[in-house]
Amino acid sequence: MNVVRNPATEETIAELPEATIEDADRAVAAAKSAFPAWHAVSPADRGRLLRRLATVVEEHGEELALLETRNVGKPISDSRGEAGMVADVFHFYAGAVDKHFGETIPVPGGVDMTFREPLGVVGLITPWNFPMNIASWKLGPALACGNTIVLKPAELTPLSTLRLGELALEAGIPEGVVNVVVGPGRVVGQRLVEHSDVAKIGFTGSTEVGAGVMRGAAGTIKRVTLELGGKSANVVFADADLEKAAASAPYAVFGNAGQDCCARSRILVERSVFDRFMELLVTATGDIKVGNPEDPSTEMGPLISAGHREKVAAYVDGDVAFRGDAPDGPGFWFPPTLLAPVSNDDRAAREEIFGPVAAVIPFVDEEEAIRLANDTPYGLSGSIWTENGARALRVARALEAGVLSINSNTSVRVQTPFGGFKQSGFGRELGLHALEGYTEVKNVYFATE
Ligand code: TXE
């Protein structure tokens, strides 16, 4: 039995049967038999169905937001934004689907053309931190391109994904096109990864499990897109608008209680303004409102589980510069915490903590800032704060990361590509780039001479 809890109260909110290998096989078989008919639907009509799905999600936005808040513990204001993004993602791919087509290529002796073909059955495996958002980032482009789906959410947070599956049916997407299986990753997830009828795995989760997905996929030469961990840098130069940078930094690391692959959990600050910046950062961090996620004014909720809280706590030993408030419990609470000054070699600066813990690291000049920011096995996101435009672009070009912001800490937009360098994974989600990951290019040469 899969027991689902509200991490803010520790109450059981659902008990679900655990899917087995046989269930995964049945889901793959359903997706396989639905594929020819779904592939045959014209792109414009697939777009119409995705548009309907977007509208149905909008109509159920408040319900989805509340479900996400109760299951993940995230503030309701965040969940409302995320439900809105799910609808926006389906709107975007509804509009994109009939504008993604092949080319004609001049060659001697004939006409050469390319087609964009769907892959077939794709397995989508998602984590517990942004369940419905990440599901939509994969579902939108995969469905638009004519693939059928087996979607496996994380065991801790399956509820919004199950609801999305029902809403897809309500929107008129035919049975068998979207299948949701809830079960353990090492059983059901692994089965999808190794199944010979699954053409691709779109995975978001830890780097360790991502490496296992790659190994498992090798046996069938399966395509994979991996969106994995991060240890991103928020680089603050002395010539930045310090007030603005310090006001923004806490949201970049304590948003979603730090359980965010894009968290800028290494705050790199130029030494000449380090003390002033710390003062501002401590004040801004102290202002974060931690508490009941269903209260619209709450800015930070609990962690996902007791086990995860233990893991996060193990990173907080020396160098605590500030510890905010958090409720006592029940609930898996952890206060926003600043570690400073930290060396980039410390464990807290090297490993993904995935909790509300920021390591503040001093640097002396631009060259050292770039070196420290890149001195990590990860390469997902990052921010650069400076009023010098040339420096901003110079540093942005030098950083080894897939998603960067200048004078901002936001990472994710429906229209723009999202994904990592180095051990943060490969392949891109969102924007038009995501369509590449759910199609094969077929080249056809037609001899005319
Ligand atoms: O992730 P997992 P978990 C990081 C973060 C966190 C840690 C563990 O540091 O503390 O990972 O989180 C499925 N074959 N991130 O345990 O295990 C699993 O069921 C196929 C970063 O949740 O990677 C779930 O659906 N699938 C990350 C999904 O993989 C398997 C987001 C992710 O689980 C599997 C989440 C297997 N063998 C965690 N084993 C980010 N960067 O956003 C598990 N799964």
Side-chain angles (χ1 to χ4, degrees):
M1 192 59 77
N2 187 351
V3 178
V4 182
R5 285 181 210 288
N6 179 338
T9 62
E10 302 184 34
E11 283 161 1
T12 297
I13 51 173
E15 290 185 12
L16 312 173
E18 268 189 1
T20 59
I21 286 187
E22 291 69 39
D23 294 322
D25 288 350
R26 280 172 49 220
V28 173
K32 189 179 176 184
S33 65
F35 175 69
W38 182 241
H39 182 190
V41 174
S42 75
D45 283 342
R46 284 202 299 270
R48 278 190 194 94
L49 285 167
L50 277 171
R51 182 81 70 199
R52 274 232 298 270
L53 177 56
T55 306
V56 171
V57 166
E58 277 162 354
E59 287 162 3
H60 291 80
E62 190 57 22
E63 176 201 342
L64 285 167
L66 203 53
L67 205 52
E68 199 78 326
T69 282
R70 294 198 172 140
N71 195 174
V72 188
K74 64 176 76 208
I76 188 72
S77 55
D78 289 3
S79 296
R80 287 183 178 137
E82 288 167 28
M85 188 191 195
V86 171
D88 287 349
V89 167
F90 293 137
H91 277 303
F92 179 85
Y93 291 107
V97 52
D98 58 355
K99 297 161 197 76
H100 183 63
F101 36 63
E103 309 148 292
T104 54
I105 304 171
V107 290
V111 176
D112 196 285
M113 61 205 113
T114 63
F115 293 85
R116 293 274 174 183
E117 303 288 5
L119 302 170
V121 178
V122 301
L124 306 178
I125 301 178
T126 54
W128 46 258
N129 55 342
F130 290 91
M132 69 177 162
N133 260 20
I134 293 176
S136 73
W137 301 358
K138 298 179 194 305
L139 272 176
L143 287 173
C145 293
N147 301 282
T148 55
I149 316 289
V150 180
L151 172 56
K152 195 210 84 63
E155 301 90 301
L156 291 168
T157 59
L159 300 185
S160 57
T161 307
L162 284 166
R163 192 70 186 116
L164 269 184
E166 288 174 343
L167 295 179
L169 285 174
E170 210 172 287
I173 292 179
E175 261 185 49
V177 172
V178 178
N179 305 273
V180 181
V181 277
V182 179
R186 63 185 184 287
V187 180
V188 174
Q190 188 74 26
R191 183 63 165 189
L192 296 177
V193 168
E194 291 171 0
H195 204 298
S196 55
D197 286 337
V198 175
K200 177 197 171 118
I201 295 288
F203 174 85
T204 301
S206 60
T207 293
E208 191 189 352
V209 174
V213 167
M214 240 176 130
R215 277 192 294 273
T220 47
I221 317 291
K222 214 171 249 85
R223 285 87 185 106
V224 286
T225 296
L226 300 176
E227 202 272 280
L228 309 175
K231 192 73 197 176
S232 298
N234 187 1
V235 185
V236 182
F237 287 99
D239 60 9
D241 179 336
L242 289 189
E243 276 75 18
K244 215 168 147 193
S248 169
Y251 296 98
V253 61
F254 304 127
N256 212 39
Q259 303 164 124
D260 181 350
C261 48
C262 290
R264 275 76 163 157
S265 52
R266 290 184 300 145
I267 307 176
L268 271 53
V269 183
E270 192 160 346
R271 198 179 283 284
S272 58
V273 294
F274 193 85
D275 292 343
R276 172 74 189 128
F277 185 81
M278 276 309 293
E279 266 173 47
L280 294 165
L281 183 62
V282 164
T283 306
T285 304
D287 287 345
I288 295 176
K289 194 170 169 219
V290 184
N292 177 8
E294 289 182 43
D295 177 340
S297 67
T298 293
E299 294 168 308
M300 195 182 115
L303 292 172
I304 192 69
S305 67
H308 188 55
R309 180 172 56 186
E310 249 174 68
K311 184 192 141 191
V312 171
Y315 287 94
V316 181
D317 36 29
D319 304 325
V320 176
F322 178 77
R323 191 191 292 263
D325 295 323
D328 289 333
F332 309 121
W333 302 97
F334 199 90
T337 304
L338 297 171
L339 304 179
V342 172
S343 154
N344 198 54
D345 296 328
D346 292 352
R347 203 172 143 243
R350 302 213 69 78
E351 295 175 15
E352 182 176 50
I353 299 176
F354 226 55
V357 180
V360 195
I361 303 170
F363 67 84
V364 288
D365 57 14
E366 188 177 312
E367 194 213 321
E368 189 184 28
I370 292 168
R371 186 173 57 72
L372 292 176
N374 286 340
D375 181 14
T376 167
Y378 296 111
L380 189 52
S381 67
S383 291
I384 302 147
W385 291 83
T386 172
E387 294 295 294
N388 176 337
R391 161 179 275 170
L393 277 181
R394 204 162 53 227
V395 176
R397 293 302 307 275
L399 293 190
E400 297 159 352
V403 190
L404 291 167
S405 312
I406 296 166
N407 296 335
S408 157
N409 276 308
T410 55
S411 301
V412 175
R413 273 162 290 268
V414 175
Q415 302 82 357
T416 61
F418 176 81
F421 280 27
K422 305 198 284 188
Q423 291 186 31
S424 290
F426 54 83
R428 291 293 177 269
E429 308 208 279
L430 295 171
L432 295 175
H433 286 74
L435 299 170
E436 308 293 323
Y438 291 98
T439 47
E440 294 280 16
V441 176
K442 180 186 284 173
N443 191 71
V444 176
Y445 173 70
F446 193 152
T448 54
E449 286 170 18

